[in-house]
């Protein structure tokens, strides 16, 4: 297979995701409205609790980070979920495409959407709550963004793996994964407020380290010696694991006949 | 080179969600020559869709193996996907995409670069008369148009083998006829090997060069439609009406190829294995008495429906 062939097939998945966003207002709603709503409600809660500005920054950067992971994974999941809902999965899987093309293509649109949301939430938090996330500097925010979308890729790939196993119900799996992240990775609070055994679970989540890093840039104490290194290492590990799971899941779907069932 | 060669294909769907395990294919052997239209006939649940799914690599077999144009079914699945394509009777594509967007998307999945892809899409839109619907969403297409889109999609990668699973199911008779003619035309013009499943005898008879009957996961008969019709015990019936002295049925005994004889007044019905070979000796035997005059001869050949009923019924 030559590079051009590989790129065309990868772009096919990106195009699909892009067209779905363009044509389904509900999808656009999901990637813009919910993140905005989340930011507004938390921002207003912070105002009601009369939190000092740096604590508001602490919380809002968590909300933004969680949304970036959510938005970048949702495009990936939808590429597979739409095929299941449209019962067209078998036609796509009968084509000579591979898992890498599916993952990278759908993730590419996820990155684009995530970037738009990232900029939008940054601007909105500055205007509505006078919280300037950019205060950390372009480079740290850029690194944070890269880390978050890479982690989003791992989450999205895992959801796709679930979709080949569970069908449309994998949508619930996506919500479950993001809910777990919300509780465990210190979105609204430092992880040391969690019970000790649960903190160990938090340390297994890359998002915990990315938040630690960016909050360090805002002057909050950093408890881990090299949060970026840990964050990226774990992200790499989860990406490899979820990629393996997706390959396994597609293979199992072809073995058990689930692929046909999902297309009926 | 054979287009398809299968040996001992087995497939069992494991038990799940309260359903029991189903042994869908029980050692299927198949040889399909390149360029033919090959039909897999069988009742519901015979294993037709499973067989097609295995050949298109959508489903992995539990046992056996084979090749498609020399590519190993178990080890070269990626390359097989490049040279085959598939469509089914109830095609589904992305509902929010238009006809052209769907074709463009699938063209990209098959790795076609932009310029040849657009040319190909344009030509397929012409071939399948989809031009007026080019920018219509899939969700708004009628079942006939969806089927035409499915066929256009199936031709995108210029496949060597095209699999059609019940291609005309749910279509009205006029559209079904158009689809059949289009398939036959494409197959002949491009030398495409076409494998279709159906339970419509007329469709199989019209389209197929060869037919395999699948029953309970096994191929129980295989051949060209004429051979299959001759092969069943129904045979072909020769009905002769005559004037003159009664022909005693015993007079026909001893003639080769006679399966059954019936007489009623001056109408004799003889069931033979092959009317082309047996008609002449029967007429000569009738004419052995010069007072007899033949008034009318009818030849009734069995259709595939008879073959189907015979083969489907022989298990019960």
């Amino acid at each position: 297979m030559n590079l051009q062939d590989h790129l065309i097939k990868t772009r096919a998945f990106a195009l699909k995701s892009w067209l779905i966003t363009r044509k389904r207002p509900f999808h656009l709603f999901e990637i813009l409205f919910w993140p905005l709503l989340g930011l507004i409600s938390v921002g207003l809660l912070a105002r009601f609790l009369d939190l000092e500005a740096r604590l508001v920054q602490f919380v809002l950067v968590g909300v933004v980070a969680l949304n970036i992971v959510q938005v970048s994974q949702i495009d990936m999941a939808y590429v597979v979920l739409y095929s299941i809902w449209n019962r067209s999965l078998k036609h796509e899987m009968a084509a000579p495409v591979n898992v890498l093309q599916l993952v990278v293509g759908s993730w590419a649109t996820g990155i684009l959407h995530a970037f738009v949301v990232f900029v939008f939430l940054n601007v909105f938090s500055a205007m509505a709550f006078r919280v300037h996330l950019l205060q950390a500097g372009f480079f740290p925010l850029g690194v944070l963004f890269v880390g978050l979308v890479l982690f989003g890729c791992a989450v999205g790939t895992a959801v796709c793996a679930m979709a080949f196993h569970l069908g449309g119900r994998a949508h619930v799996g996506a919500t479950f994964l993001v809910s777990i992240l919300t509780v465990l990775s210190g979105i609204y609070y430092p992880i040391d407020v969690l019970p000790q055994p649960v903190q160990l679970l938090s340390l297994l989540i890359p998002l915990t380290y990315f938040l630690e890093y960016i909050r360090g840039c805002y002057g909050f104490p950093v408890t881990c010696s090299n949060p970026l290194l840990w964050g990226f290492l774990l992200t790499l590990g989860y990406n490899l694991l979820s990629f393996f799971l997706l390959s396994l899941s597609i293979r199992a779907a072809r073995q058990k006949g689930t692929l046909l069932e999902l297309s009926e | 080179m054979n287009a398809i060669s299968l040996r001992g294909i087995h497939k069992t769907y494991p038990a799940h969600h309260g359903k029991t395990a189903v042994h869908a294919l029980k050692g299927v052997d198949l040889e399909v020559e390149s360029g033919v239209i090959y039909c897999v006939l069988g009742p519901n649940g015979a294993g037709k869709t499973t067989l097609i799914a295995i050949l298109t690599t959508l489903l992995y077999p539990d046992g056996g193996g084979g090749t498609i144009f020399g590519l190993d079914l178990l080890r070269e699945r990626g390359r097989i996907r490049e040279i085959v394509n598939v469509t089914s009777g109830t095609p589904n594509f992305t509902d929010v995409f238009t006809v052209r967007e769907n074709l463009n998307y699938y063209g990209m999945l098959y790795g076609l670069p932009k310029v040849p892809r657009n040319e190909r899409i344009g030509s397929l839109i012409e071939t399948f008369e989809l031009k007026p619907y080019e920018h219509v969403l899939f969700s708004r297409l009628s079942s006939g148009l969806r089927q035409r889109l499915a066929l256009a999609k199936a031709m995108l990668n210029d496949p060597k083998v095209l699999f059609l699973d019940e291609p005309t199911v749910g279509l009205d008779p006029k559209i079904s006829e158009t689809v059949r003619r289009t398939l036959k035309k494409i197959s002949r013009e491009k030398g495409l090997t076409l494998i279709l499943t159906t339970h419509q005898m007329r469709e199989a008879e019209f389209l197929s060069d060869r037919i395999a009957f699948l029953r309970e996961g096994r191929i129980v008969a295989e051949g060209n439609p004429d051979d299959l019709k001759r092969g069943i015990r129904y045979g072909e019936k020769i009905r002769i009406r005559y004037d003159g002295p009664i022909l005693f049925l015993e007079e026909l005994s001893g003639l080769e190829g006679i399966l059954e004889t019936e007489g009623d007044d001056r109408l004799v019905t003889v069931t033979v294995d092959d009317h082309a070979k047996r008609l002449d000796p029967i007429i000569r035997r009738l004419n052995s008495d010069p007072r007899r005059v033949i008034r009318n001869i009818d030849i009734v050949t069995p259709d595939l429906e008879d073959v189907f009923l015979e083969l489907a019924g022989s298990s019960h």
Side-chain angles (χ1 to χ4, degrees):
Chain A
M1 185 192 299
N2 61 34
L3 183 64
Q4 188 195 24
D5 183 83
H6 189 74
L7 288 174
I8 292 169
K9 291 171 182 176
T10 304
R11 272 181 44 226
F13 290 110
L15 175 78
K16 178 178 179 181
S17 180
W18 174 251
L19 284 175
I20 286 173
T21 315
R22 228 185 63 192
K23 295 185 170 212
R24 299 281 299 220
F26 180 74
H27 188 52
L28 201 65
F29 195 75
E30 228 171 358
I31 59 174
L32 271 182
F33 186 73
W34 295 131
L36 180 64
L37 211 64
L39 191 80
I40 291 173
S41 55
V42 174
L44 290 176
L45 177 68
R47 188 174 287 175
F48 169 68
L49 294 174
D50 203 16
L51 295 181
E52 58 178 286
R54 57 192 300 271
L55 286 180
V56 180
Q57 194 173 38
F58 180 96
V59 175
L60 288 193
V61 77
V63 176
V64 172
L66 181 69
N67 279 307
I68 296 312
V69 174
Q70 166 78 341
V71 169
S72 55
Q73 69 84 23
I74 209 165
D75 276 295
M76 301 179 71
Y78 272 161
V79 162
V80 175
L81 286 171
Y82 261 95
S83 300
I84 292 170
W85 293 330
N86 285 156
R87 287 170 290 150
S88 62
L89 194 59
K90 75 172 181 185
H91 290 292
E92 285 153 293
M93 300 314 289
V97 288
N98 61 38
V99 179
L100 188 64
Q101 290 153 356
L102 167 69
V103 168
V104 175
S106 51
W107 183 51
T109 316
I111 295 173
L112 194 69
H113 288 153
F115 184 72
V116 171
V117 172
F118 192 56
V119 172
F120 179 64
L121 294 184
N122 268 288
V123 171
F124 191 85
S125 61
M127 290 172 66
F129 303 110
R130 309 228 180 282
V131 171
H132 298 277
L133 299 176
L134 200 58
Q135 188 191 331
F138 277 109
F139 182 74
L141 271 188
V143 171
L144 173 72
F145 179 76
V146 171
L148 294 175
V149 291
L150 277 169
F151 181 51
C153 179
V155 176
T157 309
V159 176
C160 290
M162 279 192 264
F164 276 94
H165 187 64
L166 300 171
R169 287 171 293 168
H171 198 233
V172 181
T175 311
F176 171 76
L177 281 179
V178 173
S179 304
I180 291 286
L181 294 179
T182 311
V183 176
L184 294 183
S185 40
I187 303 294
Y188 303 116
Y189 39 76
I191 59 162
D192 51 20
V193 304
L194 293 167
Q196 191 66 35
V198 181
Q199 282 183 39
L200 293 175
L201 290 175
S202 299
L203 295 176
L204 295 173
I205 301 173
L207 185 54
T208 307
Y209 297 95
F210 292 132
L211 283 173
E212 177 97 350
Y213 163 74
I214 198 69
R215 282 167 178 162
C217 296
Y218 294 131
F220 289 96
V222 177
T223 51
C224 169
S225 61
N226 200 336
L228 269 189
L229 178 70
W230 282 108
F232 279 107
L233 273 179
L234 279 172
T235 299
L236 176 70
Y238 283 120
N239 268 296
L240 290 173
L241 179 68
S242 58
F243 189 84
F244 173 71
L245 286 176
L246 177 58
S247 305
L248 212 65
S249 187
I250 293 174
R251 190 181 168 77
R254 291 188 195 270
Q255 196 76 51
K256 293 178 187 169
T258 319
L259 195 55
L260 297 179
E261 278 178 24
L262 294 175
S263 308
E264 283 167 358
Chain B
M1 180 192 285
N2 269 354
I4 293 171
S5 183
L6 291 185
R7 294 171 309 281
I9 294 288
H10 278 269
K11 183 68 200 175
T12 301
Y13 293 105
H16 73 298
H17 299 135
K19 293 179 187 168
T20 52
V22 177
H23 197 171
L25 294 179
K26 302 167 183 169
V28 170
D29 298 323
L30 196 67
E31 298 290 333
V32 180
E33 279 176 38
S34 172
V36 302
I37 301 182
Y38 195 100
C39 180
V40 181
L41 266 174
N44 288 336
K48 303 186 296 287
T49 299
T50 301
L51 182 61
I52 294 288
I54 285 174
L55 286 165
T56 50
T57 76
L58 286 168
L59 190 64
Y60 294 162
D62 299 330
T67 57
I68 297 183
F69 277 101
L71 298 171
D72 192 284
L73 191 60
L74 306 179
R75 285 191 292 271
E76 295 173 288
R77 289 169 180 142
R79 290 183 64 197
I80 287 176
R81 286 176 203 138
E82 286 172 9
I83 62 159
V84 306
N85 211 318
V86 62
T87 183
S88 54
T90 46
N92 287 303
F93 298 115
T94 309
D95 59 357
V96 292
F97 287 6
T98 63
V99 166
R100 182 170 270 275
E101 283 166 347
N102 264 304
L103 288 173
N104 188 48
Y105 172 57
Y106 281 98
M108 290 173 85
L109 290 185
Y110 281 92
L112 297 176
K114 192 173 182 179
V115 174
R117 183 171 72 238
N118 284 338
E119 283 171 7
R120 186 114 188 97
I121 290 170
S123 141
L124 289 167
I125 281 177
E126 290 292 326
T127 306
F128 291 96
E129 297 170 17
L130 288 164
K131 189 77 185 162
Y133 314 99
E134 199 176 352
H135 302 295
V136 176
L137 294 180
F138 179 77
S139 58
R140 296 192 181 162
L141 296 177
S142 66
S143 53
L145 288 168
R146 286 179 181 200
Q147 189 56 270
R148 270 145 67 182
L149 170 62
L151 288 169
K153 169 257 158 191
M155 297 302 295
L156 270 168
N157 60 328
D158 201 8
K160 284 183 163 183
V161 188
L162 177 57
F163 295 96
L164 302 129
D165 192 9
E166 307 268 5
T168 58
V169 72
L171 297 183
D172 69 51
K174 198 179 160 201
I175 296 169
S176 300
E177 196 56 36
T178 312
V179 169
R180 281 184 209 113
R181 289 190 191 288
T182 310
L183 289 174
K184 200 156 191 166
K185 187 169 164 246
I186 291 170
S187 169
R188 296 292 176 253
E189 282 175 0
K190 296 187 178 292
L192 177 70
T193 307
L194 217 144
I195 315 289
L196 75 141
T197 68
T198 183
H199 56 259
Q200 293 187 48
M201 306 305 131
R202 201 170 149 260
E203 182 163 282
E205 199 150 11
F206 174 77
L207 283 172
S208 315
D209 298 310
R210 288 189 80 79
I211 290 172
F213 276 91
L214 199 60
R215 195 190 67 212
E216 293 171 3
R218 290 190 178 88
I219 289 181
V220 290
E222 201 270 349
N224 68 45
D226 291 337
D227 287 346
L228 284 169
K229 285 184 281 187
R230 270 197 291 274
I232 62 166
R233 66 178 170 82
Y234 289 159
E236 296 172 335
K237 292 188 191 307
I238 301 173
R239 286 203 185 102
I240 306 174
R241 189 169 289 284
Y242 61 93
D243 290 335
I246 294 282
L247 172 82
F248 292 102
L249 297 180
E250 294 75 34
E251 292 180 54
L252 295 173
S253 63
L255 289 180
E256 207 180 333
I258 297 210
L259 305 172
E260 200 177 4
T261 51
E262 290 170 63
D264 180 16
D265 193 13
R266 283 170 178 77
L267 173 71
V268 64
T269 304
V270 189
T271 307
V272 296
D273 56 356
D274 182 353
H275 79 271
K277 289 184 191 159
R278 312 302 172 202
L279 182 61
D280 192 46
I282 292 169
I283 289 172
R284 270 193 266 125
R285 188 63 56 94
L286 242 158
N287 287 341
S288 60
D289 186 333
R291 291 171 297 168
R292 289 194 195 114
V293 179
I294 293 174
R295 295 290 175 207
N296 186 38
I297 299 174
D298 279 331
I299 292 165
V300 183
T301 55
D303 57 20
L304 277 176
E305 188 116 25
D306 296 321
V307 181
F308 183 81
L309 289 171
E310 169 74 9
L311 292 169
S314 60
S315 66
H316 303 295

